[in-house]
Amino acid sequence: MPPLRTLLALPVSLALLGLAPTGSVAAGPPPSDTVLSRFVGRGKAPAAALLAHEGSVSRFAHAEPEAEAEAATRPDAASGTAAPAPADAIRPTDRFRAGSITKTFIAAVVLQLAAEHRLFLSDSVDSHLPGLVRGAGTDGRALTLRALLTHTSGLADFTAVTRGSVPLTPVQAVRIALTLPQSRLRSTGGTPIPAPRGLFAYSNTNYVLLGMIVEQVTGRSYAAEAMRRLITPLRLTGTSFPGSRRSLPEPHGRAYAADGSDVTDLDPRVAGAAGELVTTLADLNRFYAALLGGDLLPPRQLREMLDTRTAHGSYGMGLYPVKLPCGTTVWGHNGRIAGSYVRTAATPDGRRVLTFRVNTDATADPDLEPALLAAEFCPRTS
């Protein structure tokens, strides 16, 4: 398995799990560790760190006393506002909800089926789900699987109504989407503009439909196919599709909404094939390394996955590129679901992968994510 690095962030604690990076780099602490220390010093990041190599703990720093004292004075869950998990509860093996990172798994399954000629990306949605997609100016006979994979279908996002808090069947999610106007993009000025079919507009509805199509083609659920094709072969022992199970498998920490309420227990049907996955940091690193390294898809399908031309540079198929200030481009996905924000990024060959998460809906400091990506993937000089 190629060298990987992982980090885990919690409200008052932070964990890193990593292997030595590839190539020749300057001596000193790992670059992302240095960045995290800088953010801790500015009071904008967690205040405890766990560093491990190949799964064995080599250093643990407790939270700063000020951070521990602050956490101790916060109301507990019984009062309606949950206090963060204590620093000593940090475990790099914790299970957590990965949100839209699920889309990379679904896209990989669909592309494997395409490689087996069991479906074609040029297939219409209607050829697999006849009559389902009709309404709001949308016709499944004119939509292709490629449009779903690349978010260029124009289908509205059902979560605009449910806000990710209402458990739904896939059919219910699609029907809600069809009551809405077509997806909208935001211009650079922030003004909403229509996004007709053929333009990129991110919509969870696309991947709910892809999950249904996987089941139509194979006779098994998208979860069963992902388990058989991806999770079991890669030995992703901490990864699962929980279906309707509200609790997280052990071990796990707590998850908090933006208002501080405890949302650890959550019905995954709020997201379905667009965001149901439960996983671990190490499993995500292993999965993205194998995917981008060519272990899961034939070369043609992997090229399709990384081709952003259909989405005009914004998105491939279950992956998107980010060009860093140094000129390096990394590939991956983020995931946001109640109580969890996750980000995985990797070099195009999968030889270096970085994953981090926070156990709330977003990072407290918007500068943290770009700083970590730049520190990990931009070259350092001696």
Side-chain angles (χ1 to χ4, degrees):
M1 182 58 59
L4 312 175
R5 287 185 52 77
T6 311
L7 36 93
L8 159 66
L10 305 173
V12 293
S13 54
L14 170 80
L16 290 87
L17 172 67
L19 311 186
T22 58
S24 176
V25 297
S32 40
D33 192 21
T34 302
V35 168
L36 288 165
S37 298
R38 175 162 52 85
F39 272 75
V40 169
R42 288 161 47 186
K44 293 186 177 182
L50 173 68
L51 179 64
H53 291 283
E54 299 187 22
S56 60
V57 174
S58 60
R59 177 171 66 82
F60 180 81
H62 287 284
E64 297 170 356
E66 295 81 4
E68 290 181 340
E70 179 186 357
T73 62
R74 294 179 185 173
D76 60 21
S79 69
T81 303
D88 60 4
I90 302 170
R91 291 165 298 195
T93 56
D94 276 353
R95 273 68 165 167
F96 55 85
R97 304 189 193 281
S100 286
I101 281 180
T102 308
K103 292 179 175 68
T104 313
F105 284 73
I106 298 299
V109 170
V110 171
L111 287 165
Q112 284 190 358
L113 291 170
E116 296 163 8
H117 306 294
R118 299 179 68 180
L119 56 74
F120 298 91
L121 303 188
S122 58
D123 288 348
S124 71
V125 173
D126 206 71
S127 67
H128 296 284
L129 302 171
L132 178 61
V133 180
R134 297 279 200 284
T138 303
D139 189 332
R141 292 170 293 189
L143 296 182
T144 65
L145 305 195
R146 183 184 300 278
L148 299 182
L149 286 161
T150 58
H151 292 293
T152 56
S153 69
L155 286 166
D157 190 340
F158 70 92
T159 64
V161 172
T162 65
R163 302 297 179 189
S165 61
V166 181
L168 300 169
T169 67
V171 171
Q172 287 172 331
V174 173
R175 286 177 176 166
I176 288 173
L178 293 174
T179 67
L180 303 173
Q182 285 192 330
S183 294
R184 292 179 175 269
L185 291 171
R186 291 190 177 273
S187 69
T188 54
T191 303
I193 58 174
R197 189 168 65 250
L199 295 182
F200 172 76
Y202 191 90
S203 173
N204 288 290
T205 309
N206 293 317
Y207 276 74
V208 168
L209 283 166
L210 287 167
M212 297 173 73
I213 289 166
V214 167
E215 184 167 358
Q216 285 294 110
V217 170
T218 66
R220 290 180 289 269
S221 69
Y222 63 83
E225 283 298 300
M227 182 67 69
R228 185 173 73 87
R229 293 170 174 272
L230 309 173
I231 295 171
T232 299
L234 291 178
R235 297 189 178 94
L236 306 182
T237 56
T239 301
S240 62
F241 286 83
S244 60
R245 176 180 171 177
R246 295 178 58 88
S247 60
L248 286 168
E250 295 289 350
H252 69 83
R254 310 306 298 174
Y256 301 94
D259 64 2
S261 58
D262 190 315
V263 291
T264 307
D265 287 343
L266 177 74
D267 192 324
R269 292 174 297 178
V270 301
E276 178 190 339
L277 195 73
V278 168
T279 189
T280 67
L281 296 169
D283 278 5
L284 287 182
N285 272 2
R286 181 180 294 274
F287 169 69
Y288 279 93
L291 177 66
L292 291 166
D295 294 337
L296 297 178
L297 295 173
R300 177 181 176 183
Q301 278 67 40
L302 184 56
R303 286 194 300 270
E304 291 262 23
M305 196 175 206
L306 301 177
D307 188 342
T308 64
R309 289 176 295 179
T310 301
H312 308 286
S314 299
Y315 201 86
M317 296 180 180
L319 291 169
Y320 62 84
V322 171
K323 188 173 183 178
L324 301 177
C326 61
T328 297
T329 296
V330 293
W331 285 85
H333 213 289
N334 66 350
R336 191 189 310 275
I337 194 169
S340 183
Y341 178 78
V342 189
R343 178 70 163 100
T344 296
T347 52
D349 59 5
R351 290 185 60 80
R352 183 179 289 186
V353 186
L354 173 73
T355 302
F356 78 91
R357 77 170 181 107
V358 295
N359 66 347
T360 186
D361 302 355
T363 55
D365 189 329
D367 294 334
L368 176 58
E369 181 173 323
L372 286 172
L373 296 184
E376 190 63 34
F377 295 105
C378 288
R380 290 188 297 160
T381 57
S382 301

